Amino acid sequence: MAIKHLAPQFPQAAEPVFGADRPWLAPLAGYSDLPFRLLCRQYGATVCVSEMISARGLYHGSRRTEELLASAPGDTPLVIQLFGGEPEIMGHAVASLVKSGWRWFDCNLGCSVRKMLRQNAGASLLGSPETVLEIARAMIAAAATAEEPAGVGFKLRLGLGPGRPVLPDLALRLEDAGAAWITLHPRYASQGFTGRANWDELARLAGRLGIPLLASGDLFCARDGIDCLAATGATGVMYARGALRDPAIFADHKNLARGLAPKPKDAGALRAMIDAHLWLARKYCNYPNTLLRMRSILPRYARLLPGVNELRKALCACEDWDGLNAILDRHLGQAPGTENLGDRGSSQSEEGV
């Protein structure tokens, strides 16, 4: 079955770039849509990964699945993350997307949410390494049909649970199969997001891989990312929850990587970020539920402001864009412009992320 209407209307051949000063935005289901990616790029995200896209949904022509491929000029390099448990379907998805002009792909082998596990996709595949390798070979072979440079990365966890590790063996076999890079969230699938990411496992893998290794997990602020790189020898970092809290994490990371201090985040900088996100959301995703979605996102950006609970309550009662702007004028206008809302480190609560 052909995948229709998926060709980007602009070049998508730019290659992903790796390095200590080249932070990536992770695939975030429900969050890393086009407006959020463009916002993160404004703040310095070098590469962005799409939301998780179902290979089977593409195969069957799901309209919702196809909508997740929405892009725009400037949204490059863009990596399309696919999930699924069938080698033939995964290979078909890559082949069809390559014909449509897409070039860079990531295979999700790390998502541990129940819905994904029920579909025998995501982290559930870590229990079947041979199936993972069949999927990898199918995706890599399909990417190789592109006329321009193309490739496939793989996002992994340590295994299904303690006592069932798959690393480093699986990562090394994926490298041998032709993987372009590996991303590791160093927790077991059974942990979800509990406990702490095991940076020692990142260091062990970094010492053996000959392809780029991206570190993920517990990178809540730019200092976490810089410290992770120093401790593990990973090639680069991929921000997820840290970017959801503060898209300026990418600018902070680049400054720290160059020996500079991150810029203070006062109320004016916060309002500029929010206004940019609102503008992008209305331009590219102004659907009936866009306002509702932004109402849920903005309190996370403002979580360090005094009175954030009142802001959240006011947003819950907001019914139109004019009302939303009035609420922001009222609440952000009351915030002291010199209040430092900057990098507070990973000691901050994860609530609301």
Side-chain angles (χ1 to χ4, degrees):
M1 180 177 294
I3 298 176
K4 302 176 181 178
H5 311 304
L6 303 184
Q9 301 302 310
F10 46 90
Q12 277 288 328
E15 296 189 36
V17 182
F18 302 90
D21 61 346
R22 308 292 177 87
W24 287 36
L25 171 66
L28 296 162
Y31 293 101
S32 57
D33 59 5
L34 175 58
F36 187 68
R37 294 197 305 267
L38 292 175
L39 179 69
C40 289
R41 291 184 191 278
Q42 287 183 13
Y43 284 94
T46 301
V47 178
C48 293
V49 187
S50 73
E51 298 183 64
M52 293 187 298
I53 294 172
S54 166
R56 179 159 285 278
L58 291 177
Y59 185 80
H60 289 292
S62 164
R63 179 179 176 182
R64 171 57 185 151
T65 301
E66 293 182 0
E67 287 174 352
L68 295 176
L69 289 165
S71 191
D75 187 28
T76 188
L78 177 62
V79 175
I80 304 298
Q81 188 182 75
L82 296 168
F83 73 87
E86 301 157 293
E88 181 180 358
I89 298 297
M90 294 288 278
H92 181 277
V94 172
S96 298
L97 290 168
V98 163
K99 290 178 181 177
S100 296
W102 304 97
R103 294 287 178 265
W104 302 99
F105 307 93
D106 188 71
C107 178
N108 185 298
L109 301 171
C111 184
S112 59
V113 301
R114 189 172 302 173
K115 179 180 179 181
M116 189 73 65
L117 299 180
R118 285 199 301 264
Q119 298 180 54
N120 295 318
S124 69
L125 289 166
L126 298 177
S128 305
E130 295 305 322
T131 301
V132 169
L133 290 168
E134 289 181 33
I135 289 171
R137 295 184 190 107
M139 295 179 70
I140 291 166
T145 64
E147 295 180 358
E148 300 178 57
V152 184
F154 297 84
K155 189 172 185 186
L156 304 170
R157 286 197 178 219
L158 299 175
L160 287 176
R164 303 183 68 184
V166 296
L167 298 182
D169 180 67
L170 181 57
L172 295 173
R173 294 178 73 184
L174 287 169
E175 178 181 8
D176 290 342
W181 70 88
I182 297 290
T183 303
L184 177 60
H185 182 144
R187 282 184 172 92
Y188 289 98
S190 61
Q191 291 180 271
F193 292 94
T194 62
R196 291 192 61 82
N198 189 338
W199 287 3
D200 289 341
E201 294 293 343
L202 277 164
R204 291 189 186 99
L205 185 56
R208 299 190 63 178
L209 276 182
I211 57 176
L213 173 64
L214 295 175
S216 179
D218 290 358
L219 306 181
F220 298 116
C221 66
R223 174 52 63 188
D224 291 338
I226 296 297
D227 290 347
C228 180
L229 289 169
T232 67
T235 312
V237 296
M238 178 182 282
Y239 286 107
R241 287 177 287 174
L244 291 179
R245 293 175 172 193
D246 181 11
I249 194 170
F250 300 100
D252 291 347
H253 181 102
K254 288 186 170 182
N255 279 329
L256 287 173
R258 296 163 185 163
L260 304 174
K263 293 182 179 179
K265 298 177 181 65
D266 58 25
L270 174 61
R271 182 60 189 271
M273 176 191 294
I274 289 174
D275 284 348
H277 199 169
L278 292 174
W279 186 88
L280 290 165
R282 296 186 70 178
K283 178 177 176 63
Y284 292 108
C285 293
N286 196 14
Y287 307 128
N289 68 340
T290 302
L291 177 65
L292 178 63
R293 188 170 183 177
M294 295 307 300
R295 281 168 35 186
S296 68
I297 290 172
L298 300 187
R300 183 171 59 243
Y301 294 162
R303 71 191 185 284
L304 299 180
L305 280 175
V308 67
N309 289 333
E310 288 74 16
L311 172 61
R312 184 179 289 109
K313 291 177 183 177
L315 289 172
C316 286
C318 175
E319 297 182 352
D320 56 47
W321 295 107
D322 288 341
L324 185 146
N325 280 311
I327 291 168
L328 294 174
D329 287 342
R330 184 165 65 251
H331 284 268
L332 294 185
Q334 295 173 355
T338 58
E339 175 71 12
N340 188 343
L341 306 176
D343 223 352
R344 301 295 183 89
S346 56
S347 62
Q348 291 294 315
S349 167
E350 298 181 31
E351 182 180 356
V353 175

